Amino acid sequence: MVDGGTEGFKGHARVIIPGVTPCFECTIWLFPPQVKFPLCTLAETPRTAAHCIEYAHLIKWDEVHSGKSFDPDDPEHMQWVYSE
């Protein structure tokens, strides 16, 4: 079995051989930690580029595109977040 995934600009890939290598659950700690920002930081004092991206994605998107869900695979949606 081959497991792979991405999170932002981070990524991982590994081969799992049953009975030879550790199982998926045994190596879950190898995943990078999830990065979440408090909404108050995003809305009041965004200090980094990541804060600004999250602000555009989580707060501004709903204000401008009410009722339309954000699709990270849509180039137009990603361009809008970049522009904001």
Side-chain angles (χ1 to χ4, degrees), residues 3-38:
D3 171 53
T6 63
E7 178 183 331
F9 293 112
K10 300 174 186 165
H12 73 274
R14 62 182 146 191
V15 176
I16 299 170
I17 303 170
V20 177
T21 61
C23 67
F24 181 80
E25 287 82 14
C26 295
T27 58
I28 198 87
W29 61 272
L30 293 172
F31 285 103
Q34 293 286 339
V35 177
K36 299 197 185 256
F37 302 106

Side-chain angles (χ1 to χ4, degrees), residues 60-81:
K60 291 295 285 183
W61 180 266
D62 288 335
E63 290 176 5
V64 176
H65 303 94
S66 60
K68 187 174 182 182
S69 63
F70 178 76
D71 180 8
D73 293 326
D74 185 329
E76 291 180 15
H77 292 192
M78 294 303 291
Q79 183 61 46
W80 183 88
V81 168

Side-chain angles (χ1 to χ4, degrees), residues 9 35 37 41-42 45-58 81-84:
F9 293 112
V35 177
F37 302 106
T41 298
L42 299 178
T45 53
R47 293 181 297 278
T48 67
H51 291 164
C52 296
I53 292 167
E54 285 294 313
Y55 177 78
H57 170 227
L58 295 174
V81 168
Y82 176 78
S83 297
E84 279 297 306

